[in-house]
Amino acid sequence: MIRLLIADDQALVRGALAALLGLEPDIEVVAQVGRGDEVVEAARASEATVALLDIEMPGIDGIAAASLLRTQVPGCRALIVTTFGRPGYLARAMQAGASGFVVKDTPAAELADAVRRVSQGLRVVDPVLAAESLAQGDSPLTERETDVLAAARAGGSIADIARMVHLSEGTVKNHLSSAIGKTGGRNRADAVRVAVERGWL
């Protein structure tokens, strides 16, 4: 029997997934949480073998939760199920240790099959998203450029961003300029938008 944990911040979606997958004879929904920072404890307490994780959740996102599961609850495999079918998210999820990545409009029978395959130790990736990810390639941003853009996402001045990332204002300006060039953005806000759309942030 597959012991399934479902993590999604939308109660209606979480309940619908639990109802659908709970109908499968070999899947038992053993836990449901609405925050990413509740995943590890719920997986431990319920002895879940597969965790279905949304990306956008309060606390920590599903990709960070997948990474924590890999190191802290290695007997529980992560399957990302999200509305955000962005190629950059796929790459980040796989690097974090997720065993699968599918979008929420996947038919119920295919989602149940994905849970089974992940439970067996196989990788499951939405084929359209995989093709887009290969065509797009990896993020061109360096780790520091990513940090600076992530800090810029909240708004604020160069000085505010510099304090957040513990860099000088001049260094922040250089990283922002480079990130704007690499994303093709017109300005800082546009660079953030492009990076988010591509799943680089």
Side-chain angles (χ1 to χ4, degrees), residues 64-168:
S67 180
L68 290 175
L69 281 175
R70 181 179 64 180
T71 59
Q72 297 182 25
V73 191
C76 183
R77 293 184 171 95
L79 172 59
I80 303 289
V81 180
T82 186
T83 305
F84 302 99
R86 298 177 182 146
Y89 279 161
L90 170 60
R92 285 179 46 220
M94 294 296 117
Q95 289 165 357
S99 296
F101 193 105
V102 295
V103 291
K104 283 184 180 171
D105 63 359
T106 299
E110 288 180 29
L111 181 57
D113 185 53
V115 169
R116 289 183 188 98
R117 290 171 55 204
V118 164
S119 175
Q120 295 165 1
L122 302 173
R123 287 211 182 253
V124 177
V125 177
D126 179 271
V128 173
L129 198 55
E132 288 176 10
S133 183
L134 288 172
Q136 178 180 295
D138 293 333
S139 170
L141 302 172
T142 66
E143 185 177 345
R144 275 301 191 189
E145 290 164 351
T146 301
D147 292 344
V148 169
L149 265 189
R153 188 177 186 181
S157 67
I158 296 292
D160 294 334
I161 295 168
R163 277 191 297 278
M164 290 173 69
V165 296
H166 308 290
L167 295 173
S168 72

